[in-house]
Amino acid sequence: MTDTTSARFGVIIIGDEILSGKRQDAHLAKAISLLAARGLALSWAEYLGDDRAQIAATLQRTMASSDIVLCFGGIGATPDDQTRQAAAEAAGLAIARHPGAVAEIEARYGEATYPKRVLMADFPRDAALIPNPVNRVPGFSLGRHYFMPGFPEMAWPMTEWILDTHYAHLFHLQPAAESSILVFDTGESQLLDLMEEITRQYPSLKLFSLPRLDERRTIELGVKGEAAAVAEAMRRIREALDTANHPWQPLERS
């Protein structure tokens, strides 16, 4: 079972069409939303082209970690789809036809499964299946890595199934909070000492500083993390700004 105190989620989005701009990625925003709805957060994301060597090298690196990784794209059977083969290479496994995947594809397409659609049942040996509620052509998983098609209408319900089936024990473990204020007529360099002090005093929180390109040199300054610590850190920030005569106001959220 994944350590609940250090579980990290990552996303890998694969496809030359994303990097070339022929298609706009929607997976990143949706993954963030699906995780957030369950009290989880995304730690990192990477975009890759349909390059088997690059995908394999990336997966070999991420498989050496304890991260939970959601991979979107490239698991079809056309020559430009390289993810299944790259995953097998990264894990040191052979490609094998998965009987359960064959059964799912046959149930959907019958005799039309052969000779080509059945190729989508060829996964790294010992992979587990991820059910596809749209056309029954499954994705697959290797350990904590989950491989889904690039089509959002398929990948997103599959992602929900992964989270709800395997990681419900991680949901909403710590009430997350975020609070920020707008600081005016002030540069980030003038706030560095304060920001460093806050990060030292509240190491469990994530501090963020987001400058705005406006006439008043506005900075959105805040922290996120456990609710009580957020409230205490923000009180300290407001007090320090008042002492230094830096004008600020609460941030109105829509």
Side-chain angles (χ1 to χ4, degrees):
M1 180 175 293
T2 303
D3 180 0
T4 58
T5 63
S6 60
R8 286 167 30 107
F9 286 84
V11 162
I12 297 176
I13 299 162
I14 300 168
D16 287 344
E17 69 279 8
I18 300 296
L19 300 183
S20 69
K22 289 183 179 180
R23 288 188 178 176
Q24 298 299 309
D25 170 57
H27 291 304
L28 180 60
K30 187 65 175 181
I32 292 170
S33 174
L34 293 176
L35 289 167
R38 293 159 174 80
L40 304 170
L42 187 67
S43 294
W44 56 266
E46 294 190 34
Y47 288 89
L48 302 174
D50 293 304
D51 181 311
R52 185 186 302 191
Q54 183 185 39
I55 299 169
T58 300
L59 292 174
Q60 189 172 42
R61 169 172 51 83
T62 59
M63 286 176 177
S65 75
S66 60
D67 292 352
I68 301 158
V69 182
L70 307 170
C71 303
F72 301 96
I75 67 168
T78 57
D80 59 324
D81 291 321
Q82 297 290 315
T83 303
R84 290 177 296 126
Q85 296 85 348
E89 182 179 331
L93 299 170
I95 291 285
R97 187 150 294 175
H98 194 295
V102 173
E104 283 293 294
I105 298 171
E106 286 181 338
R108 173 65 175 84
Y109 293 105
E111 293 183 0
T113 298
Y114 301 93
K116 299 301 183 183
R117 286 191 174 95
V118 73
L119 296 175
M120 291 187 289
D122 293 348
F123 295 146
R125 186 177 298 278
D126 300 326
L129 298 186
I130 302 171
N132 182 336
V134 176
N135 67 357
R136 300 190 68 168
V137 178
F140 67 96
S141 64
L142 291 172
R144 292 179 294 271
H145 280 59
Y146 300 87
F147 299 87
M148 292 162 283
F151 297 106
E153 62 269 24
M154 299 180 188
W156 295 350
M158 293 167 79
T159 299
E160 292 193 87
W161 180 88
I162 291 163
L163 296 175
D164 295 342
T165 301
H166 296 291
Y167 299 105
H169 62 286
L170 300 178
F171 294 176
H172 304 291
L173 289 181
Q174 295 183 348
E178 177 179 319
S179 181
S180 60
I181 58 177
L182 295 178
V183 185
F184 300 106
D185 307 321
T186 305
E188 283 188 300
S189 61
Q190 295 171 271
L191 301 177
L192 280 178
D193 289 344
L194 172 59
M195 289 191 280
E196 290 174 354
E197 176 189 340
I198 294 299
T199 56
R200 284 195 304 270
Q201 290 186 350
Y202 304 94
S204 65
L205 300 182
K206 285 193 174 182
L207 179 142
F208 57 91
S209 172
L210 304 174
R212 299 185 179 183
L213 297 177
D214 56 24
E215 295 180 357
R216 292 199 66 182
R217 289 201 302 167
T218 305
I219 298 171
E220 181 183 349
L221 181 62
V223 292
K224 52 188 175 182
E226 192 274 325
V230 165
E232 184 179 332
M234 288 306 300
R235 178 183 57 78
R236 174 70 189 97
I237 288 172
R238 292 190 296 268
E239 290 175 350
L241 293 173
D242 288 339
T243 299
N245 293 316
H246 292 306
W248 63 273
Q249 71 177 34
L251 178 64
E252 296 182 3
R253 300 185 183 275
S254 59

